[in-house]
Amino acid sequence: MIQFYQDLQDYGRGFLTAAITVLAITLLTIILSWVFGLLAALAKRSEIVFFRKIAEFYIWFIRGTPALIQVFIIYFGVPEFGLSFSPFVAGVIALAMNSGAYVAEILRSGLNAIPKSQIETSYALGMSRSDVMRRIILPQVFRIVLPSLTNEAIAALKNTSLLSTITVMDVTLYAQTIISSTFRPFEFYIAASVIYLLMTSLLTQFSSWIERRQERYQ
């Protein structure tokens, strides 16, 4: 017990800072992945062949390659073309692009679940395409796909541990730093696991709260 309080005093603040970094990366990743995913889902349904092919290639490539390789491509590969990013920015871009491909498929399934008769009726009432998408389609799609989006957000949070390989000081890298000086891997990997578990649990509870609110206003 004495050792626990000593560790909490010595490393607690560092773990808190690392956890805040993870949450910041996760939040940015979720926002950008929804943007990428929505664009890809709409492009895949587009009547323009070029847009469809680009979206199909993006989804095919991202879902068919490891997330870690994608992180390395953004951080180590892209600078060869004269465009370099900090580890934080590269990590956010890579994780958002990775998650966006899965979000695109989630949204596509949600869009396919909307009856075409609703869309045709909206057009018949004189609504524009953008109004139909914003006021009719997307609110329903959001309710349908919210559980799947939550699962993808949790996956994005856990994928932040991959960024320790490009020196982002997240929970994983901070734990590894401590282990290298204390030679106590079991305790500090367990500590890192508990922190990730708390964050994913909070994210799940937040999603459940949103679902309950959505059901209340249906």
Side-chain angles (χ1 to χ4, degrees):
M1 185 62 69
I2 296 176
Q3 184 64 54
F4 171 77
Y5 285 114
Q6 185 63 46
D7 289 340
L8 188 63
Q9 183 178 358
D10 293 340
Y11 308 115
R13 181 172 296 180
F15 269 121
L16 178 61
T17 301
I20 291 173
T21 299
V22 168
L23 290 175
I25 293 172
T26 302
L27 179 60
L28 291 172
T29 296
I30 291 172
I31 293 171
L32 289 176
S33 69
W34 286 5
V35 174
F36 293 156
L38 180 59
L39 291 176
L42 295 177
K44 198 169 181 180
R45 293 166 57 93
S46 173
E47 297 177 357
I48 302 174
V49 176
F50 175 76
F51 290 156
R52 279 206 313 273
K53 294 301 181 183
I54 290 294
E56 288 171 359
F57 175 81
Y58 163 66
I59 294 171
W60 169 74
F61 178 83
I62 293 296
R63 296 182 71 186
T65 56
L68 183 59
I69 297 298
Q70 296 160 22
V71 171
F72 288 162
I73 289 173
I74 298 297
Y75 186 64
F76 296 112
V78 171
E80 293 185 10
F81 298 95
L83 186 62
S84 60
F85 303 103
S86 68
F88 184 93
V89 173
V92 169
I93 293 173
L95 294 184
M97 292 185 66
N98 176 271
S99 184
Y102 295 92
V103 170
E105 289 297 278
I106 292 170
L107 293 178
R108 186 178 65 84
S109 65
L111 289 169
N112 290 338
I114 305 299
K116 291 184 178 180
S117 58
Q118 286 191 19
I119 302 173
E120 294 170 354
T121 301
S122 300
Y123 287 146
L125 292 174
M127 297 180 67
S128 66
R129 188 180 183 89
S130 61
D131 284 340
V132 171
M133 182 62 66
R134 179 171 53 87
R135 299 173 62 181
I136 304 298
I137 298 177
L138 290 182
Q140 295 185 76
V141 169
F142 180 74
R143 285 195 294 269
I144 293 170
V145 304
L146 182 58
S148 298
L149 287 178
T150 300
N151 290 335
E152 182 54 36
I154 290 173
L157 191 155
K158 291 188 290 186
N159 278 343
T160 59
S161 62
L162 300 175
L163 304 188
S164 63
T165 60
I166 58 171
T167 71
V168 174
M169 187 56 75
D170 68 329
V171 172
T172 302
L173 183 56
Y174 185 68
Q176 291 172 340
T177 302
I178 298 171
I179 291 166
S180 66
S181 60
T182 62
F183 303 102
R184 293 163 55 198
F186 181 79
E187 293 96 323
F188 289 107
Y189 279 134
I190 288 295
S193 299
V194 169
I195 292 171
Y196 279 114
L197 185 60
L198 287 173
M199 290 189 289
T200 55
S201 298
L202 287 173
L203 187 56
T204 302
Q205 290 300 316
F206 179 68
S207 173
S208 299
W209 176 76
I210 294 177
E211 287 186 48
R212 289 194 297 270
R213 284 182 59 87
Q214 291 289 333
E215 292 173 358
R216 188 182 308 168
Y217 292 111
Q218 283 184 358

